[in-house]
Amino acid sequence: MRRASLWLPFAIFVIFFGVVTYGLIKPSDHVITSKMIGKPLPQFALQPAHDGQAGLTNGAFSGGQPRLLNIFASWCIPCIAEAPVLMQLKSMGVEIDAIAIRDKPEDVARFLERNGNPYTRIGSDTVGKVQISLGSSGVPETFVIDGKGIIRHQHIGDIRADDIPEIMQALEAAK
Amino acid sequence: MIAEAGLGLLWIAAALAIMQLGLGWVAVARGRDEQISGVRAIAVAQGILVTLSFLALILLFLRSDMSVALVAANSHSAKPWLYKFAGTWGNHEGSMLLWVTILGAAGSAVALFERSLKASTLIATLAAQAALSIGFYAFLLFSSNPFTRLVPAPADGQGLNPLLQDPGLAFHPPTLYFGYVGMSVAFSFAVGALVTRDVDPAFARAMRPWVLGAWIFLTLGITAGSYWAYYELGWGGWWFWDPVENASLMPWLATTALLHSVTVLATRDGLRAWTVMLAVVAFSMSMVGTFLVRSGILTSVHSFAVDPTRGSFLLALLAIYIGGAMTLFALRIGTVREGSQFDLVSREGALVVNNLLLSAILGIVFVGTLYPLGVEAVTGEKLSVGPPYFNATAGPITLFLVLVMIAGPLMRWRRDRLAVVVQRLAIPILAIAVALLVLVLVSPDIGILPFMGLLLAGGVALGSLAPLWGRNLRRTPLFTWGMVVAHFGVAVSLAGMASETGFIKEVLIASNVGESHRVGPYDVKFAGLDPVAGPNWTALEATLEARRGNGEPLILKPQSRMFSNPPTETNEAAIRTVLDGQLYLVLGKQEPSGRWQLRMWWKPFVTLIWLGGGMIAFGGFLALVGRFRRDRLSGRGRAIA
């Protein structure tokens, strides 16, 4: 018994080693993913956030073609970095709708003027309520919505040039 | 040229470490004690070379040599020189070089100054220290070379994480590293003693100053880290049970236990196996801590260098060193003779209980830190273990530990009578009773933990002074003073924690300029909001006037800072310390309504927490000086005889 107990520290270490090895081999992604993936968009109807462009309702996503729903804000720095990539996606024929979070129309206008406007429709979510109902935790964030209004994919953080293939693939899969 | 020289020095130092291990191995295996001078000389040379290599890296940072990848990635020519300097270790490669430098320098110090240990044990110790260094040299040279050149060299660097641009944090990591690596020496001593089967009081006396020194640095590091998190992160708390905090708490707990058991071994020749085990565990915890922080496998609010490949390398080192040492322990400790025996009611008995309780807390923190990872490995579910778990489990044991702390120093070595001990405990018990009465009268509903904390703080304060009772204070040895000061420091810290937890006042409001709000004894007026600019940031600065009664107002200016390089936002809390506590104000975001979020705390006696931490470390320092002085005196005595 006494001899066996001498190996106890070693045994504890072996367990520790096993656990952390697992943690290293399969690193967790540390990202809060939306529980909404695979579910239809929640009901919402947002006022336009930008003069001359339509507002956004969940009904707008049942047109049969997959499209992106981008969540952004004029006050968000990574959104500026993301803007040219969204423009590129648009030029590749991707339709993008947007929700502006806690924004004012004049700020949104200035942001779009400076960084380009890749959006078809922009809804204004002044209190972030729709954002929460989508299971989104920050800006920017982008959802891939299929032609029936079902959320198929979530991209957290800004979309960079390297992420374009991933987004295109998700759009293709949502067809 | 400097970078190449630094790299060259690193290679030579690594080669010397291999020689140190090889020669030491041969000497121990063949029983050739006369090899000691050779091993010593190599250890000293290795320490000097690796230190020069680290100095070369410092020089590169100070000169903002952007042709070195590490400098370009972590520094900026516009940075104040202090942060260029601190930037040397404010990154993964630099901090690993710092680590191996301290490892080498500590080995040199052992080689130069250790005279009381048996030659064979000393050789084995130096060989073990070299074995540790070799792993880290390999790590640096093959996976994280700090001297890699960058072609073409960029015009300017990317800057240092702004959270780290703080004088406190600039020196926080080296402080902790001195502690961690100091434990490496204790570890090498333990391995050396296991190899030569020489676990005896002489070994404990040789190891003790290293344990004490490492413990002082760990204590300072944790105290400073706690204060840094408190004022820099703007959350207003002093301990978050964050994995990174736990990473330094765990070695501290093990080292504290070791510090007490090594004293038993050095003076009473008891607890042999325990002491060796704790030396191995304490350093293991240092490495586990470094690993957890560096590999990024745990999610933390402040884990900096996150990289799984480096994690695997560190994990391999962990497996070799800790797994190896624990195997050696299991194989060898059975052949180590039992030390002398003692009764349960005795100073040794109290120290054993202290050891067990500290180990229990260590186990709780260890499990709590790794539990989420384990659960994810088994079930795939993500969860986090927060302060409620730690407070509920570690809190009561800590209070019990404090109780033992009151009784321990009042007991005799070897054997004591319970009745007499109780008699000696009369004064602390009386103090607790009085404190109980006062608290019931003053504030009956502050919660059980802070309540007990305040009670025990009073008891510890008196109990810690008790060993001075009836002594000639000028003739009391310095290390006894050290114990008294350190234990009193625990009382001070405990009082601060309990008072802050029990009496804190917190207000979170949205306010327009011009409005006033009440927090604790203060009326705080939001007097203004202005943009300000610093060397590499811009900020919004609120001006707040805090008035207590009819006194002069205190002006506090919390800021919300924007750094451009890299883009990061930080909150600079405004903290004002007064005699009986701290006022802590944070400027938050602007709400859509145009009002500003303000977070205000009144924290009575919160500063006692860090004052106590400082006292604990200072007590350790006194004990260390006391030991050295006594050794020198006895050494001189021997010389005369």
Side-chain angles (χ1 to χ4, degrees):
Chain A
M1 178 58 216
R2 186 157 158 67
R3 291 220 66 90
S5 70
L6 290 179
W7 288 95
L8 186 69
F10 183 76
I12 294 173
F13 177 71
V14 168
I15 295 171
F16 164 80
F17 187 82
V19 168
V20 296
T21 306
Y22 172 86
L24 276 180
I25 293 169
K26 192 176 156 296
S28 53
D29 44 10
H30 300 320
V31 180
I32 306 139
T33 41
S34 171
K35 293 232 166 27
M36 296 294 292
I37 289 175
K39 293 186 183 151
L41 280 168
Q43 296 263 333
F44 62 86
L46 294 172
Q47 293 296 314
H50 184 229
D51 286 345
Q53 264 178 298
L56 195 63
T57 63
N58 60 306
F61 292 91
S62 42
Q65 279 300 311
R67 55 205 301 154
L68 296 183
L69 172 56
N70 178 243
I71 294 177
F72 80 107
S74 65
W75 43 266
C76 136
I77 308 270
C79 297
I80 299 171
E82 185 184 53
V85 184
L86 290 180
M87 290 305 283
Q88 196 183 337
L89 280 168
K90 187 196 177 193
S91 71
M92 292 163 77
V94 179
E95 272 210 78
I96 311 173
D97 289 332
I99 298 178
I101 306 295
R102 280 177 268 129
D103 239 329
K104 296 196 193 94
E106 58 268 29
D107 293 338
V108 172
R110 204 173 309 129
F111 178 88
L112 295 177
E113 194 182 321
R114 196 170 293 166
N115 302 300
N117 185 350
Y119 306 121
T120 313
R121 290 174 278 244
I122 311 176
S124 173
D125 188 8
T126 46
V127 288
K129 208 170 141 193
V130 175
Q131 182 189 19
I132 291 168
S133 71
L134 282 166
S136 154
S137 53
V139 280
E141 234 176 83
T142 306
F143 293 92
V144 174
I145 319 284
D146 73 7
K148 297 188 198 90
I150 294 171
I151 303 172
R152 288 297 174 198
H153 178 81
Q154 180 189 27
H155 182 96
I156 294 176
D158 50 326
I159 299 176
R160 301 182 186 179
D162 319 351
D163 299 325
I164 291 181
E166 176 206 324
I167 297 287
M168 294 310 288
Q169 207 181 349
L171 280 166
E172 192 60 35
K175 265 185 185 163
Chain B
M1 209 39 227
I2 301 172
E4 284 69 31
L7 187 60
L9 287 166
L10 203 57
W11 273 105
I12 303 172
L16 283 177
I18 294 174
M19 271 176 72
Q20 186 177 333
L21 174 63
L23 192 62
W25 188 297
V26 170
V28 170
R30 301 216 177 131
R32 286 197 180 148
D33 288 1
E34 70 276 8
Q35 300 279 11
I36 184 68
S37 54
V39 177
R40 269 194 162 136
I42 295 172
V44 173
Q46 185 223 327
I48 292 172
L49 290 181
V50 67
T51 306
L52 287 176
S53 171
F54 183 61
L55 289 178
L57 190 65
I58 293 181
L59 199 59
L60 290 170
F61 267 85
L62 286 179
R63 296 172 68 165
S64 295
D65 187 341
M66 296 304 166
S67 69
V68 175
L70 190 66
V71 180
N74 295 287
S75 196
H76 194 280
S77 57
K79 244 174 21 173
W81 77 268
L82 177 70
Y83 300 123
K84 287 184 188 170
F85 179 61
T88 316
W89 55 80
N91 59 76
H92 170 78
E93 285 82 358
S95 63
M96 281 296 130
L97 183 56
L98 172 65
W99 174 287
V100 80
T101 301
I102 304 173
L103 214 53
S108 303
V110 173
L112 281 174
F113 303 117
E114 187 49 58
R115 291 277 180 261
S116 59
L117 213 54
K118 248 176 59 181
S120 56
T121 310
L122 183 55
I123 295 179
T125 302
L126 288 174
Q129 188 76 6
L132 286 180
S133 293
I134 290 168
F136 287 95
Y137 281 128
F139 188 28
L140 279 167
L141 293 171
F142 300 128
S143 127
S144 358
N145 176 5
F147 296 106
T148 311
R149 290 278 188 188
L150 192 61
V151 181
D156 220 328
Q158 294 174 349
L160 173 74
N161 181 347
L163 273 179
L164 305 181
Q165 293 202 23
D166 176 277
L169 204 70
F171 295 98
H172 171 57
T175 311
L176 274 181
Y177 275 20
F178 276 113
Y180 284 179
V181 182
M183 284 318 300
S184 78
V185 178
F187 175 86
S188 298
F189 271 113
V191 171
L194 280 172
V195 167
T196 59
R197 296 187 170 86
D198 248 347
V199 183
D200 59 6
F203 146 78
R205 277 196 288 274
M207 184 165 88
R208 184 161 53 181
W210 290 96
V211 177
L212 201 49
W215 183 78
I216 293 167
F217 279 111
L218 281 177
T219 308
L220 283 175
I222 291 175
T223 307
S226 158
Y227 194 65
W228 170 77
Y230 172 80
Y231 79 82
E232 180 67 32
L233 294 182
W235 297 354
W238 43 270
W239 195 261
F240 305 101
W241 295 108
D242 181 82
V244 171
E245 286 181 328
N246 291 347
S248 57
L249 179 65
M250 291 190 285
W252 185 85
L253 289 167
T255 310
T256 308
L258 174 61
L259 190 62
H260 290 92
S261 81
V262 82
T263 300
V264 175
L265 181 51
T267 55
R268 313 300 309 175
D269 194 17
L271 300 184
R272 289 180 166 190
W274 242 127
T275 305
V276 172
M277 187 68 243
L278 281 175
V280 173
V281 167
F283 180 64
S284 304
M285 286 302 155
S286 305
M287 278 200 68
V288 165
T290 315
F291 168 75
L292 291 181
V293 177
R294 291 276 158 212
S295 65
I297 62 170
L298 291 179
T299 319
S300 155
V301 289
H302 45 315
S303 56
F304 304 116
V306 172
D307 184 343
T309 22
R310 288 163 180 168
S312 337
F313 207 122
L314 271 177
L315 189 63
L317 292 185
L318 265 174
I320 297 167
Y321 295 138
I322 301 174
M326 282 174 172
T327 309
L328 186 67
F329 173 83
L331 291 174
R332 279 288 167 89
I333 200 71
T335 64
V336 169
R337 215 166 34 84
E338 277 294 312
S340 55
Q341 303 297 307
F342 50 85
D343 281 7
L344 184 62
V345 182
S346 65
R347 178 88 69 96
E348 286 100 323
L351 286 173
V352 168
V353 177
N354 142 307
N355 265 233
L356 291 175
L357 292 175
L358 280 168
S359 307
I361 300 172
L362 175 60
I364 285 171
V365 177
F366 186 75
V367 168
T369 308
L370 290 167
Y371 182 73
L373 200 61
V375 168
E376 204 187 324
V378 177
T379 67
E381 226 174 290
K382 276 191 184 97
L383 53 82
S384 64
V385 173
Y389 158 81
F390 291 105
N391 290 342
T393 48
I397 302 183
T398 308
L399 292 181
F400 191 56
L401 176 70
V402 167
L403 210 58
V404 177
M405 214 180 105
I406 301 174
L410 298 176
M411 292 173 149
R412 288 180 203 286
W413 290 111
R414 277 192 74 98
R415 177 181 304 138
D416 208 338
R417 287 201 3 250
L418 199 57
V420 182
V421 173
V422 170
Q423 210 174 358
R424 277 188 229 123
L425 278 172
I427 294 178
I429 290 173
L430 198 70
I432 292 179
V434 170
L436 184 74
L437 202 69
V438 171
L439 280 175
V440 169
L441 291 177
V442 175
S443 57
D445 48 21
I446 61 168
I448 182 73
L449 277 183
F451 189 76
M452 292 297 294
L454 279 176
L455 288 189
L456 288 171
V460 175
L462 276 180
S464 63
L465 294 177
L468 296 177
W469 188 260
R471 268 181 187 259
N472 179 339
L473 291 187
R474 303 176 90 189
R475 290 180 154 232
T476 304
L478 208 48
F479 45 79
T480 306
W481 275 107
M483 180 185 78
V484 168
V485 172
H487 283 190
F488 198 83
V490 173
V492 171
S493 261
L494 188 61
M497 292 172 191
S499 166
E500 199 262 2
T501 316
F503 305 111
I504 187 168
K505 295 276 184 293
E506 178 181 2
V507 185
L508 170 62
I509 36 145
S511 173
N512 285 315
V513 175
E515 291 175 359
S516 277
H517 308 277
R518 179 125 189 122
V519 53
Y522 283 93
D523 279 312
V524 180
K525 188 179 172 204
F526 190 3
L529 189 74
D530 305 288
V532 288
N536 53 355
W537 45 265
T538 56
L540 277 174
E541 183 179 82
T543 304
L544 297 149
E545 294 173 9
R547 202 182 286 271
R548 190 176 195 169
N550 294 320
E552 279 292 298
L554 303 171
I555 309 292
L556 286 92
K557 300 190 164 184
Q559 293 178 343
S560 172
R561 276 188 194 170
M562 274 298 305
F563 287 81
S564 51
N565 235 335
T568 319
E569 212 172 316
T570 67
N571 281 313
E572 295 290 309
I575 303 172
R576 187 59 62 89
T577 309
V578 292
L579 217 51
D580 57 344
Q582 274 187 341
L583 194 59
Y584 187 120
L585 306 179
V586 177
L587 173 66
K589 300 216 175 324
Q590 189 175 25
E591 295 195 338
S593 64
R595 292 184 300 178
W596 292 85
Q597 288 177 356
L598 287 177
R599 202 169 197 135
M600 318 201 280
W601 284 278
W602 166 244
K603 295 163 168 288
F605 297 108
V606 66
T607 34
L608 291 184
I609 296 173
W610 305 291
L611 178 70
M615 284 178 75
I616 296 171
F618 183 65
F621 177 72
L622 286 182
L624 191 61
V625 172
R627 293 284 170 212
F628 277 129
R629 222 201 236 171
R630 167 177 270 202
D631 287 353
R632 254 187 46 211
L633 285 180
S634 64
R636 201 181 297 153
R638 262 208 306 272
I640 292 165

